[in-house]
Coordinates of all heavy atoms in Angstrom, one line a residue:
M103 N -3.8 -19.5 -25.1 CA -3.1 -20.8 -25.0 C -1.6 -20.6 -25.0 O -1.1 -19.8 -25.8 CB -3.6 -21.7 -26.1 CG -3.0 -23.1 -26.0 SD -3.9 -24.2 -27.1 CE -2.9 -24.3 -28.5
K104 N -0.9 -21.2 -24.1 CA 0.5 -21.1 -24.0 C 1.2 -22.0 -25.1 O 0.7 -23.1 -25.3 CB 1.0 -21.5 -22.6 CG 0.6 -20.5 -21.6 CD 1.2 -20.9 -20.2 CE 0.7 -19.9 -19.2 NZ 1.3 -20.2 -17.9
K105 N 2.3 -21.5 -25.6 CA 3.0 -22.2 -26.6 C 4.0 -23.2 -25.9 O 4.7 -22.9 -25.0 CB 3.8 -21.2 -27.5 CG 4.5 -21.9 -28.6 CD 5.1 -20.8 -29.5 CE 5.8 -21.5 -30.7 NZ 6.4 -20.5 -31.6
T106 N 4.0 -24.4 -26.4 CA 4.8 -25.5 -25.9 C 6.2 -25.3 -26.6 O 6.3 -25.1 -27.8 CB 4.3 -26.9 -26.2 OG1 3.0 -27.0 -25.6 CG2 5.2 -27.9 -25.7
K107 N 7.3 -25.4 -25.7 CA 8.6 -25.4 -26.2 C 9.3 -26.7 -25.8 O 9.2 -27.1 -24.6 CB 9.4 -24.2 -25.7 CG 8.9 -22.9 -26.2 CD 9.6 -21.8 -25.5 CE 8.5 -21.0 -24.8 NZ 9.0 -20.0 -23.9
T108 N 10.1 -27.3 -26.7 CA 10.9 -28.4 -26.4 C 12.3 -28.0 -26.4 O 12.8 -27.3 -27.3 CB 10.7 -29.5 -27.4 OG1 9.3 -29.9 -27.5 CG2 11.5 -30.8 -27.1
F109 N 13.1 -28.4 -25.3 CA 14.5 -28.1 -25.3 C 15.2 -29.3 -24.8 O 14.6 -30.2 -24.2 CB 14.8 -26.8 -24.4 CG 14.5 -27.0 -23.0 CD1 15.6 -27.4 -22.1 CD2 13.3 -26.8 -22.4 CE1 15.3 -27.5 -20.7 CE2 13.0 -26.9 -21.1 CZ 14.1 -27.3 -20.2
F110 N 16.5 -29.3 -25.0 CA 17.4 -30.5 -24.6 C 18.4 -30.0 -23.6 O 19.1 -29.0 -23.9 CB 18.0 -31.1 -25.9 CG 17.0 -31.6 -26.9 CD1 16.5 -30.7 -27.8 CD2 16.6 -32.9 -26.8 CE1 15.6 -31.2 -28.7 CE2 15.7 -33.4 -27.7 CZ 15.2 -32.5 -28.7
L111 N 18.5 -30.7 -22.5 CA 19.4 -30.4 -21.4 C 20.3 -31.6 -21.2 O 19.7 -32.7 -20.8 CB 18.7 -29.9 -20.2 CG 19.6 -29.7 -19.0 CD1 20.6 -28.6 -19.2 CD2 18.8 -29.4 -17.7
N112 N 21.5 -31.5 -21.5 CA 22.5 -32.6 -21.3 C 21.9 -33.9 -22.0 O 22.0 -35.0 -21.4 CB 22.8 -32.9 -19.8 CG 23.5 -31.7 -19.2 OD1 24.2 -30.9 -19.9 ND2 23.5 -31.6 -17.9
G113 N 21.4 -33.8 -23.2 CA 20.9 -34.9 -23.9 C 19.5 -35.4 -23.7 O 19.0 -36.2 -24.4
E114 N 18.9 -34.8 -22.6 CA 17.5 -35.2 -22.3 C 16.5 -34.2 -22.8 O 16.8 -33.0 -22.7 CB 17.4 -35.3 -20.7 CG 18.2 -36.4 -20.1 CD 17.7 -37.8 -20.4 OE1 16.5 -38.0 -20.5 OE2 18.6 -38.7 -20.6
E115 N 15.4 -34.7 -23.3 CA 14.4 -33.8 -23.8 C 13.4 -33.3 -22.7 O 13.0 -34.1 -21.9 CB 13.6 -34.5 -24.9 CG 12.5 -33.7 -25.6 CD 11.8 -34.4 -26.7 OE1 11.5 -35.6 -26.5 OE2 11.6 -33.8 -27.7
Y116 N 13.1 -32.0 -22.7 CA 12.2 -31.4 -21.8 C 11.2 -30.6 -22.5 O 11.5 -30.0 -23.6 CB 12.9 -30.6 -20.7 CG 13.8 -31.3 -19.8 CD1 15.2 -31.6 -20.2 CD2 13.4 -31.9 -18.6 CE1 16.0 -32.3 -19.3 CE2 14.2 -32.6 -17.8 CZ 15.5 -32.8 -18.2 OH 16.3 -33.6 -17.4
I117 N 10.0 -30.5 -22.0 CA 8.9 -29.7 -22.6 C 8.5 -28.7 -21.5 O 8.3 -29.1 -20.3 CB 7.8 -30.6 -23.0 CG1 8.3 -31.6 -24.1 CG2 6.6 -29.7 -23.5 CD1 7.3 -32.6 -24.5
T118 N 8.3 -27.5 -21.9 CA 7.8 -26.4 -21.0 C 6.7 -25.6 -21.7 O 6.7 -25.5 -22.9 CB 8.9 -25.5 -20.5 OG1 8.4 -24.6 -19.6 CG2 9.6 -24.8 -21.6
H119 N 5.8 -25.1 -20.9 CA 4.8 -24.1 -21.4 C 5.2 -22.7 -20.8 O 4.5 -21.8 -21.1 CB 3.4 -24.5 -20.9 CG 3.0 -25.9 -21.4 ND1 2.7 -26.1 -22.7 CD2 2.9 -27.0 -20.7 CE1 2.3 -27.4 -22.8 NE2 2.5 -28.0 -21.7
Q120 N 6.2 -22.6 -20.0 CA 6.6 -21.4 -19.4 C 7.6 -20.6 -20.2 O 8.3 -21.2 -21.0 CB 7.2 -21.7 -18.0 CG 6.4 -22.5 -17.1 CD 5.1 -21.8 -16.7 OE1 5.1 -20.6 -16.4 NE2 4.0 -22.5 -16.7
N121 N 7.7 -19.4 -20.0 CA 8.7 -18.5 -20.5 C 9.9 -18.5 -19.5 O 9.8 -17.8 -18.6 CB 8.2 -17.1 -20.8 CG 9.1 -16.3 -21.7 OD1 9.9 -16.9 -22.4 ND2 9.0 -15.0 -21.6
I122 N 10.9 -19.3 -19.8 CA 12.0 -19.5 -18.8 C 13.3 -19.1 -19.4 O 13.5 -19.2 -20.6 CB 12.1 -20.9 -18.3 CG1 12.2 -21.9 -19.4 CG2 10.9 -21.3 -17.4 CD1 12.5 -23.4 -18.9
N123 N 14.2 -18.7 -18.6 CA 15.6 -18.3 -19.0 C 16.6 -19.4 -18.5 O 16.2 -20.3 -17.8 CB 16.0 -16.9 -18.7 CG 15.9 -16.7 -17.2 OD1 16.3 -17.5 -16.4 ND2 15.5 -15.5 -16.8
L124 N 17.8 -19.2 -18.9 CA 18.9 -20.2 -18.5 C 19.0 -20.2 -17.0 O 19.3 -21.2 -16.4 CB 20.2 -19.9 -19.2 CG 20.2 -20.0 -20.7 CD1 21.5 -19.6 -21.3 CD2 19.9 -21.5 -21.1
F125 N 19.0 -19.0 -16.4 CA 19.1 -18.9 -14.9 C 18.0 -19.7 -14.2 O 18.2 -20.4 -13.2 CB 19.1 -17.5 -14.5 CG 19.5 -17.2 -13.1 CD1 20.8 -17.3 -12.7 CD2 18.5 -16.9 -12.1 CE1 21.2 -17.1 -11.4 CE2 18.9 -16.7 -10.8 CZ 20.2 -16.8 -10.4
D126 N 16.8 -19.7 -14.7 CA 15.7 -20.5 -14.2 C 16.0 -22.0 -14.2 O 15.7 -22.7 -13.3 CB 14.4 -20.2 -15.0 CG 13.9 -18.8 -14.8 OD1 14.1 -18.2 -13.8 OD2 13.2 -18.3 -15.8
I127 N 16.5 -22.4 -15.4 CA 16.9 -23.8 -15.5 C 17.9 -24.3 -14.5 O 17.8 -25.3 -13.9 CB 17.3 -24.1 -17.0 CG1 16.1 -24.0 -17.9 CG2 17.9 -25.5 -17.1 CD1 16.4 -24.1 -19.3
I128 N 18.9 -23.4 -14.4 CA 20.0 -23.7 -13.4 C 19.5 -23.9 -12.0 O 19.8 -24.8 -11.3 CB 21.1 -22.7 -13.5 CG1 21.8 -22.8 -14.8 CG2 22.1 -22.8 -12.3 CD1 22.7 -21.6 -15.2
N129 N 18.6 -23.0 -11.6 CA 18.0 -23.0 -10.3 C 17.0 -24.2 -10.2 O 17.1 -24.9 -9.1 CB 17.2 -21.7 -10.0 CG 18.1 -20.6 -9.7 OD1 19.2 -20.8 -9.1 ND2 17.7 -19.4 -10.0
Y130 N 16.2 -24.5 -11.2 CA 15.3 -25.6 -11.1 C 16.0 -26.9 -10.9 O 15.6 -27.8 -10.1 CB 14.4 -25.6 -12.4 CG 13.4 -26.8 -12.4 CD1 12.2 -26.6 -11.7 CD2 13.7 -28.0 -13.0 CE1 11.3 -27.6 -11.6 CE2 12.8 -29.0 -12.9 CZ 11.6 -28.8 -12.3 OH 10.7 -29.9 -12.2
F131 N 17.1 -27.1 -11.6 CA 17.8 -28.4 -11.5 C 18.9 -28.3 -10.3 O 19.7 -29.3 -10.2 CB 18.5 -28.8 -12.8 CG 17.4 -29.2 -13.8 CD1 17.0 -28.4 -14.8 CD2 16.9 -30.5 -13.7 CE1 16.0 -28.8 -15.7 CE2 16.0 -31.0 -14.6 CZ 15.5 -30.1 -15.6
N132 N 18.9 -27.3 -9.6 CA 19.7 -27.1 -8.4 C 21.2 -27.2 -8.6 O 21.9 -27.9 -7.9 CB 19.3 -28.2 -7.3 CG 19.7 -27.8 -5.9 OD1 19.8 -26.6 -5.6 ND2 19.9 -28.7 -5.1
Y133 N 21.7 -26.6 -9.7 CA 23.1 -26.6 -10.0 C 23.7 -25.5 -9.2 O 23.1 -24.4 -8.9 CB 23.4 -26.2 -11.5 CG 23.1 -27.4 -12.4 CD1 22.0 -27.5 -13.2 CD2 24.1 -28.4 -12.5 CE1 21.8 -28.6 -14.0 CE2 23.9 -29.5 -13.4 CZ 22.8 -29.6 -14.2 OH 22.6 -30.6 -15.0
N134 N 25.0 -25.7 -8.8 CA 25.8 -24.6 -8.1 C 26.3 -23.6 -9.1 O 27.1 -24.0 -10.0 CB 26.9 -25.3 -7.4 CG 27.7 -24.3 -6.6 OD1 27.8 -23.1 -6.8 ND2 28.4 -24.8 -5.5
H135 N 25.8 -22.4 -9.1 CA 26.1 -21.4 -10.1 C 27.6 -21.1 -10.3 O 28.0 -20.8 -11.4 CB 25.5 -20.1 -9.7 CG 24.0 -20.1 -9.6 ND1 23.2 -19.0 -9.4 CD2 23.1 -21.2 -9.7 CE1 22.0 -19.4 -9.3 NE2 21.9 -20.7 -9.5
S136 N 28.4 -21.3 -9.2 CA 29.8 -20.9 -9.3 C 30.6 -22.1 -9.8 O 31.8 -21.9 -10.1 CB 30.3 -20.5 -7.9 OG 30.2 -21.5 -7.0
L137 N 30.1 -23.3 -9.9 CA 30.9 -24.4 -10.3 C 30.4 -25.1 -11.6 O 30.3 -26.3 -11.7 CB 30.9 -25.5 -9.2 CG 31.5 -25.0 -7.9 CD1 31.3 -26.1 -6.8 CD2 32.9 -24.7 -8.1
L138 N 30.0 -24.3 -12.6 CA 29.6 -24.9 -13.9 C 29.9 -24.1 -15.1 O 30.2 -22.9 -15.0 CB 28.1 -25.1 -13.8 CG 27.1 -24.0 -13.8 CD1 26.8 -23.4 -15.1 CD2 25.8 -24.4 -13.1
V139 N 30.0 -24.7 -16.2 CA 30.1 -24.1 -17.5 C 28.9 -24.4 -18.3 O 28.4 -25.6 -18.3 CB 31.4 -24.6 -18.2 CG1 31.4 -24.1 -19.6 CG2 32.6 -24.3 -17.5
L140 N 28.3 -23.4 -18.9 CA 27.0 -23.7 -19.6 C 27.2 -23.4 -21.1 O 27.7 -22.4 -21.5 CB 26.0 -22.7 -19.1 CG 24.5 -23.0 -19.6 CD1 23.6 -22.7 -18.5 CD2 24.2 -22.2 -20.8
E141 N 26.9 -24.4 -21.9 CA 26.9 -24.3 -23.4 C 25.5 -24.2 -23.9 O 24.6 -25.0 -23.6 CB 27.6 -25.5 -24.0 CG 27.7 -25.5 -25.5 CD 28.3 -26.8 -26.0 OE1 29.5 -27.0 -25.9 OE2 27.5 -27.6 -26.5
Y142 N 25.2 -23.1 -24.7 CA 23.9 -22.8 -25.2 C 24.0 -22.8 -26.7 O 24.6 -22.0 -27.3 CB 23.4 -21.5 -24.6 CG 22.1 -21.0 -25.1 CD1 20.9 -21.7 -24.7 CD2 22.0 -20.0 -26.0 CE1 19.7 -21.3 -25.2 CE2 20.7 -19.5 -26.4 CZ 19.6 -20.2 -26.0 OH 18.4 -19.7 -26.5
N143 N 23.3 -23.8 -27.3 CA 23.3 -24.0 -28.8 C 24.8 -24.0 -29.3 O 25.1 -23.2 -30.3 CB 22.4 -22.9 -29.4 CG 21.0 -23.2 -29.1 OD1 20.5 -24.3 -28.9 ND2 20.2 -22.1 -29.0
K144 N 25.6 -24.7 -28.7 CA 27.0 -25.0 -29.1 C 28.0 -23.8 -28.9 O 29.1 -23.8 -29.4 CB 27.1 -25.4 -30.6 CG 26.2 -26.6 -30.9 CD 26.7 -27.3 -32.1 CE 25.7 -28.5 -32.4 NZ 26.2 -29.8 -32.0
F145 N 27.6 -22.8 -28.1 CA 28.4 -21.7 -27.7 C 28.5 -21.6 -26.2 O 27.4 -21.7 -25.5 CB 28.0 -20.4 -28.3 CG 28.1 -20.4 -29.8 CD1 26.9 -20.6 -30.6 CD2 29.3 -20.1 -30.4 CE1 27.0 -20.6 -32.0 CE2 29.4 -20.1 -31.8 CZ 28.2 -20.3 -32.6
I146 N 29.7 -21.4 -25.6 CA 29.8 -21.1 -24.2 C 29.0 -19.8 -23.9 O 29.3 -18.8 -24.5 CB 31.3 -21.0 -23.8 CG1 32.0 -22.3 -24.1 CG2 31.4 -20.7 -22.3 CD1 31.5 -23.5 -23.4
C147 N 28.2 -19.9 -22.9 CA 27.4 -18.8 -22.5 C 27.9 -18.2 -21.2 O 27.9 -18.8 -20.2 CB 25.9 -19.2 -22.3 SG 24.8 -17.9 -21.9
P148 N 28.3 -16.9 -21.2 CA 28.8 -16.2 -20.0 C 27.7 -16.1 -19.0 O 26.5 -15.9 -19.3 CB 29.2 -14.8 -20.5 CG 29.3 -14.9 -22.0 CD 28.4 -16.0 -22.4
K149 N 28.1 -16.2 -17.7 CA 27.1 -16.1 -16.6 C 26.3 -14.8 -16.7 O 25.1 -14.8 -16.3 CB 27.9 -16.2 -15.3 CG 27.1 -16.4 -14.1 CD 27.9 -16.5 -12.8 CE 28.6 -17.8 -12.8 NZ 29.2 -18.1 -11.5
K150 N 26.9 -13.7 -17.1 CA 26.1 -12.5 -17.2 C 24.9 -12.5 -18.1 O 24.0 -11.7 -18.0 CB 27.1 -11.3 -17.6 CG 27.6 -11.4 -19.0 CD 28.5 -10.3 -19.4 CE 28.9 -10.4 -20.8 NZ 29.8 -9.3 -21.2
N151 N 24.9 -13.5 -19.0 CA 23.8 -13.6 -20.0 C 22.7 -14.6 -19.6 O 21.6 -14.7 -20.2 CB 24.3 -14.0 -21.4 CG 25.2 -13.0 -22.0 OD1 25.2 -11.9 -21.6 ND2 26.0 -13.4 -22.9
W152 N 22.9 -15.4 -18.5 CA 21.9 -16.4 -18.1 C 20.5 -15.9 -17.8 O 19.6 -16.6 -18.2 CB 22.4 -17.2 -16.9 CG 23.7 -18.0 -17.1 CD1 24.3 -18.2 -18.3 CD2 24.4 -18.6 -16.1 NE1 25.4 -19.0 -18.1 CE2 25.5 -19.3 -16.8 CE3 24.3 -18.8 -14.8 CZ2 26.5 -20.0 -16.1 CZ3 25.3 -19.5 -14.1 CH2 26.3 -20.1 -14.8
A153 N 20.4 -14.7 -17.3 CA 19.1 -14.2 -16.9 C 18.4 -13.6 -18.1 O 17.2 -13.4 -18.1 CB 19.2 -13.2 -15.8
T154 N 19.1 -13.3 -19.2 CA 18.5 -12.6 -20.3 C 18.2 -13.5 -21.5 O 17.6 -13.1 -22.5 CB 19.4 -11.4 -20.8 OG1 20.7 -11.9 -21.1 CG2 19.4 -10.4 -19.7
L155 N 18.8 -14.7 -21.5 CA 18.6 -15.7 -22.6 C 17.4 -16.6 -22.3 O 17.5 -17.5 -21.4 CB 19.8 -16.5 -22.9 CG 20.9 -15.8 -23.7 CD1 22.2 -16.7 -23.7 CD2 20.4 -15.5 -25.1
F156 N 16.3 -16.4 -23.0 CA 15.1 -17.2 -22.8 C 15.1 -18.4 -23.7 O 15.5 -18.3 -24.9 CB 13.9 -16.3 -22.9 CG 13.7 -15.4 -21.8 CD1 14.3 -14.2 -21.7 CD2 12.8 -15.8 -20.7 CE1 14.2 -13.4 -20.6 CE2 12.7 -15.0 -19.6 CZ 13.3 -13.8 -19.5
I157 N 14.6 -19.5 -23.2 CA 14.5 -20.7 -24.0 C 13.6 -20.6 -25.2 O 12.5 -20.2 -25.0 CB 14.1 -21.9 -23.1 CG1 15.0 -22.0 -21.9 CG2 13.9 -23.2 -23.8 CD1 16.5 -22.3 -22.3
K158 N 14.1 -21.1 -26.3 CA 13.3 -21.2 -27.5 C 13.1 -22.6 -27.9 O 13.8 -23.5 -27.4 CB 13.9 -20.4 -28.6 CG 14.1 -18.9 -28.4 CD 14.7 -18.2 -29.5 CE 16.2 -18.5 -29.8 NZ 17.1 -18.3 -28.8
N159 N 12.2 -22.9 -28.7 CA 11.9 -24.3 -29.2 C 13.2 -24.9 -29.8 O 13.8 -24.2 -30.6 CB 10.8 -24.3 -30.1 CG 10.2 -25.7 -30.3 OD1 10.1 -26.4 -29.3 ND2 9.9 -26.1 -31.5
K160 N 13.5 -26.1 -29.4 CA 14.6 -26.9 -29.9 C 16.0 -26.4 -29.5 O 17.0 -26.8 -30.0 CB 14.6 -27.0 -31.5 CG 13.3 -27.5 -32.0 CD 13.1 -29.0 -31.7 CE 11.9 -29.5 -32.4 NZ 11.5 -30.8 -31.9
D161 N 16.1 -25.6 -28.4 CA 17.4 -25.2 -27.9 C 18.1 -26.4 -27.3 O 17.5 -27.3 -26.8 CB 17.2 -24.1 -26.8 CG 17.1 -22.7 -27.4 OD1 17.3 -22.5 -28.6 OD2 16.7 -21.8 -26.6
I162 N 19.4 -26.3 -27.4 CA 20.3 -27.4 -26.8 C 21.2 -26.7 -25.8 O 21.9 -25.8 -26.1 CB 21.1 -28.0 -27.9 CG1 20.2 -28.7 -29.0 CG2 22.1 -29.1 -27.3 CD1 20.9 -29.2 -30.2
I163 N 21.1 -27.3 -24.6 CA 21.8 -26.7 -23.4 C 22.7 -27.9 -22.8 O 22.1 -29.0 -22.6 CB 20.9 -26.2 -22.4 CG1 20.0 -25.1 -23.0 CG2 21.6 -25.6 -21.2 CD1 18.7 -24.9 -22.2
E164 N 23.9 -27.6 -22.6 CA 24.8 -28.6 -22.0 C 25.4 -27.9 -20.7 O 25.9 -26.8 -20.8 CB 25.9 -29.0 -22.9 CG 25.5 -29.8 -24.1 CD 25.0 -31.2 -23.8 OE1 25.4 -31.8 -22.8 OE2 24.1 -31.7 -24.5
I165 N 25.3 -28.5 -19.6 CA 25.8 -28.0 -18.4 C 26.9 -29.0 -17.9 O 26.6 -30.2 -17.7 CB 24.7 -27.8 -17.3 CG1 23.7 -26.7 -17.8 CG2 25.4 -27.4 -16.0 CD1 22.6 -26.5 -16.9
V166 N 28.1 -28.4 -17.7 CA 29.2 -29.3 -17.2 C 29.6 -28.7 -15.8 O 29.8 -27.5 -15.7 CB 30.4 -29.2 -18.1 CG1 31.6 -30.0 -17.6 CG2 30.0 -29.7 -19.5
T167 N 29.5 -29.5 -14.8 CA 29.9 -29.1 -13.5 C 31.4 -29.3 -13.3 O 32.0 -30.2 -13.8 CB 29.1 -29.8 -12.4 OG1 29.3 -31.2 -12.5 CG2 27.7 -29.5 -12.5
I168 N 32.0 -28.4 -12.5 CA 33.4 -28.5 -12.2 C 33.6 -29.2 -10.9 O 33.0 -28.8 -9.9 CB 34.0 -27.1 -12.2 CG1 33.9 -26.4 -13.6 CG2 35.5 -27.1 -11.8 CD1 34.1 -24.9 -13.6
V169 N 34.5 -30.2 -10.9 CA 34.7 -30.9 -9.6 C 36.2 -30.9 -9.3 O 37.0 -31.1 -10.2 CB 34.3 -32.4 -9.8 CG1 34.5 -33.2 -8.6 CG2 32.8 -32.5 -10.2
G170 N 36.5 -30.5 -8.1 CA 37.9 -30.5 -7.7 C 38.3 -31.8 -7.2 O 37.5 -32.7 -6.8
G171 N 39.6 -32.0 -7.1 CA 40.1 -33.3 -6.6 C 41.6 -33.4 -6.8 O 42.2 -32.4 -7.3
G172 N 42.2 -34.5 -6.4 CA 43.6 -34.6 -6.5 C 44.0 -35.9 -7.1 O 43.4 -36.7 -7.6

């Protein structure tokens, strides 16, 4: 039986039975990799760690997209 994990992304609660990493989440929600800052459990997470950090129960993820303008 797969273990259920609950995580929070930008304040919304999600439930998964999969073993997923931060890179999977970014792809699933179709974020542009080059235009975002990712906070993982209150710490800025470098892009080089996205594929190696796997979601645990009650993790909090905030994704902020960068928008250009004048």
Side-chain angles (χ1 to χ4, degrees):
M103 185 161 95
K104 293 184 179 183
K105 187 174 179 179
T106 300
K107 293 175 238 171
T108 301
F109 67 95
F110 299 88
L111 175 62
N112 293 341
E114 296 290 323
E115 182 178 40
Y116 294 90
I117 297 171
T118 184
H119 301 287
Q120 304 296 319
N121 193 24
I122 58 174
N123 59 37
L124 295 175
F125 192 75
D126 294 331
I127 291 173
I128 292 165
N129 284 332
Y130 180 81
F131 287 100
N132 203 28
Y133 283 102
N134 184 334
H135 300 184
S136 63
L137 298 174
L138 64 86
V139 175
L140 191 145
E141 181 183 284
Y142 177 69
N143 293 327
K144 303 202 185 258
F145 294 98
I146 301 298
C147 183
K149 191 178 288 192
K150 66 180 181 179
N151 296 342
W152 293 354
T154 58
L155 281 173
F156 286 83
I157 301 303
K158 297 180 294 299
N159 197 42
K160 304 294 183 189
D161 277 349
I162 300 172
I163 303 156
E164 295 289 332
I165 296 177
V166 178
T167 56
I168 298 167
V169 178

